[in-house]
Amino acid sequence: MKKLCVVLLLTGLAGCSAQSYPTASSQEDWKEYGHLQGLQGFVKASMTDIEQSGQGIDESLYSMYTQGYEQGIKVYCEQDAYKLGQMQRPYHGVCDGLKPEFRSAYQQGQWDDDFSTGSNMSESDYD
């Protein structure tokens, strides 16, 4: 039950802002937070970014955050990039190193969605 509460809390935090970090010093909390950040396609925070936010973090907590993030980003990058682009979801370039073709498929999905909905047309195109 405690783990479920932590996951729900971290999910809520991740949904509010990419800059809300866990306040606990639990390695599992930081790993789960990193995992959720990766699953959502956020850019990985540097240790300096976290420290500058006023959050106390040490190497072991950052290592757990990184492990979780890397697990989450692998899952994120396995999704259909074309569909992600069609849905006009933001993409922050996080898959470029893992799957170089991800960005082009994402951009193709965006373009195809723009074309099919006419959102790439200006008012003068309708005259």
Side-chain angles (χ1 to χ4, degrees), residues 14-59:
C16 295
S17 169
Q19 298 301 318
S20 297
Y21 302 108
T23 55
S25 58
S26 161
Q27 290 187 344
E28 276 307 306
D29 289 350
W30 278 94
K31 185 174 183 177
E32 184 64 26
Y33 175 75
H35 188 256
L36 292 170
Q37 293 289 293
L39 285 174
Q40 294 179 39
F42 290 128
V43 174
K44 181 181 166 198
S46 70
M47 191 165 174
T48 302
D49 292 337
I50 297 170
E51 289 172 335
Q52 287 177 348
S53 75
Q55 180 63 43
I57 188 169
D58 60 25
E59 289 287 336

Side-chain angles (χ1 to χ4, degrees), residues 51-120:
E51 289 172 335
Q52 287 177 348
S53 75
Q55 180 63 43
I57 188 169
D58 60 25
E59 289 287 336
S60 66
L61 293 178
Y62 188 72
S63 176
M64 293 305 288
Y65 164 74
T66 298
Q67 286 178 25
Y69 180 83
E70 289 172 358
Q71 291 170 354
I73 208 68
K74 284 179 187 174
V75 173
Y76 176 83
C77 294
E78 289 301 317
Q79 70 182 306
D80 187 332
Y82 180 84
K83 287 183 182 177
L84 186 72
Q86 276 188 314
M87 294 185 306
Q88 298 298 316
R89 301 275 195 233
Y91 173 60
H92 304 288
V94 296
C95 299
D96 293 352
L98 292 171
K99 290 181 78 175
E101 69 280 4
F102 193 95
R103 182 181 293 272
S104 62
Y106 172 80
Q107 290 171 334
Q108 184 65 45
Q110 281 187 309
W111 188 86
D112 287 351
D113 180 63
D114 287 348
F115 184 75
S116 68
T117 61
S119 61
N120 63 334

